Amino acid sequence: MPPKSTGKEKGVDKEEVLQAVVIAESFNQRFAPLTANKPRCLLPMCNAPLLDWTFESLSVAGVHEVFVMCQSHFESIEQAIQKSKWSQSASPLKIHAMKLPTSTQSFGDALRFVDSQSIITNDFVLVSGDMVCNVKIDEMVKAHKARRKLDHEVIMTVLVKEAAVGHRTRPKGETAIFTLDAESRQLLHYEGVPAVPKVSNATISRALLKEAELDIRYDLIDCGIDVCSVDVPIIFSDNFHENDLRRDFVTDVLTSEILGKKIYCHFADDGYAARVRDSMTYAAVSRDILGRWCFPLVPDDNHPGGHQYEHLPGNRYLAKDKVVLSRNCKIGNNTLIGPGSRLNDTARVEGSVLGENCTIEGGAMIRNSYLWNNVHIGAGCIIKESILGAGVILETGTVVERGCLIGEGVVVKAHSRVIEFSRIAKRNGDQGLGDGDGGYLLDDATQQEEDPDSDEDADPFESAANLRYLRLGGIGKEESESETEADDSGSEGETNVHPAFDPMELDRDPWCSLKWQDEFGREAYQTLKRGVDEHLDVDNVALELTTLRMASNADPGRLKVMVVAFMLEQIKIVEGNVAGQKKAAMDVVERWGELVASICRGEMIQALWRLQQLCSLSAYQSVFGAVVSACYMEEVINEDTIKKWHALPESKGAEGSNMNKLWKIGQSMLAALAQDSDDEESEEEEDEDESEEEASADENPAPKAKSGNPPTGAKAPPPKSEEEEDDDEDDDDEDDEEEEE
């Protein structure tokens, strides 16, 4: 046990010491099996342990003394602290690691232990060991202390930040309603909101509604950072039923007339603060670090892991120590490559983080994934939105679908396919996953069916249905979720969601190519969307789509329809402005026409027919002519393609139908092209005639007259008399005067 704080370390007066309590236990299994051999607080985030990011954040905030509370893997946490820069004499933090009793089962138990140790001497900062923050917490502490001077019943200040519903660090599965006093920002009511079961109404007492003005907010991120008085651990000790800091403690304080305590909210107008609560927020915070939202906490400066990185355009970070990149490998935006890692020929990594000493063989593609130290990826492997623990080996041709968590040391056999949202752990004696081993595929809590007879008092936030909204890769399309989404979206969800590919439906309505929610449909559409959002090179998008289609064994015709529909969808409809519509079409075709030509190579006649079909079934009917013209001008199609499309029986359609109207537009275009061709031929013939005359003249030149004499055989004009010459001069003078007038 560490000595009780005296508040005099390093010459700091007791009144100035700012203490922090870090609860390094998660009390859930959201990261299993990645937490089988290490606690969540030591999981790497952009190649530095989460706990180091937390310490860095507290150091920036001016904290002097830190108490780390942990139970499982205590020795690992203690060793990590001793080996880190925080144990050095020059460290701004004095850190104590304290082991929680084996009976500790909740956040409340941990704070009851804090109270029993009498280590807190003043107002303190309370956080979890999975925080990333650059907010000036010291200003929040000053505001809290100022309130405490005026009102000793103030016991807590909660840090919140405004964010739109659906913000990536505010997942749908764990949100809350805050009811505040509009002027003072005192918290009057708190209500946690899971995704399942669906919550449609907030339960607010009538007494609160009598307040002068309430501010009911559902657009706030709970940053998981609190400034607490010494009363908070004491209240936990007095109330053993309180386990969760928000849903139990805060709710009880706000509704208890006996306690009479007050809680306030502090709004972070600037800066970044988020907790890594689950695999979804793990990916979100990683992207925010790479996107430099956490500055000055960025990989190339103040990196908690101590590595040195070079920051390149597109937020690409390369370690300065022994990174080997082949000439033909591809590193996309928002990517970090750790020390000692190697990318071989044609390997592709984008939107991902590679740990130390990772090897990516040729032809492998890694997208939006997180690989920890010493991972080996075989040739031709594909990894999508997943986390791979240290020492994982994927043999040649393995495909890892989205949302997978693969534990430390797992070996996946060649040409295996890991289905989406799988959780795989290594078990002693297993040789690898694949070829029928069955291996060590864990039961994912998010895949389990709900037991109707289960305990009604169970935490709804940890239910299988709700955890689907807190995992990397999205909620998926299980049957139970589809029903939930249909309830949320009403009839629109029923008409717009197409769960699986149906070739017959594609013929009836090619627009459904953008709406199918099977694996390939989602991945291909997201690839196209990312191409637009991140301004990716068309060649890279085409290569990625082709690789995805081959890996998914998808119908080639389906992808062709999809890219045509997607290009058309990007064109803005300009009503009543022909020139504006032509420009809108040309802008999109200039950008994406090459992609259509690449994917539909050799089948542009069919692609043009699909374009006609797409336009005939939508508001894009008025755009058809402008799109075809733009495609012709950009050489996506030629006149021969238009002629062959026009000759197709199915392109003509029934008389008076939309297809027939568009067919007639094509007919007019062909007539105009034919006229232009005739004009060009006439001009060419005239040019040829003139060329022949000039050539004939060159071959038979006329004889030249010498000394001004006329040619032989020609009669010289008679000489003019002096009167005639004078008249000519007078006429010239009159002409000059008229021109001047």
Side-chain angles (χ1 to χ4, degrees), residues 616 621 652-664:
S616 71
Q621 184 175 347
K652 187 172 184 179
E655 187 65 32
S657 65
N658 289 342
M659 289 287 285
N660 185 255
K661 293 176 182 177
L662 300 181
W663 180 81
K664 291 181 178 179

Side-chain angles (χ1 to χ4, degrees), residues 51 69 160 162 184 256 353 526 531 536 594 613 660 676 709:
L51 193 58
M69 303 293 160
V160 296
E162 294 181 349
S184 67
S256 173
V353 174
Q526 288 302 317
L536 300 180
E594 186 180 345
Q613 192 181 18
N660 185 255
D676 291 342
N709 294 330

Side-chain angles (χ1 to χ4, degrees), residues 497-512:
V497 174
H498 298 250
F501 171 59
D502 181 359
M504 296 185 66
E505 187 180 13
L506 183 65
D507 290 335
R508 291 191 301 269
D509 179 14
W511 281 109
C512 66

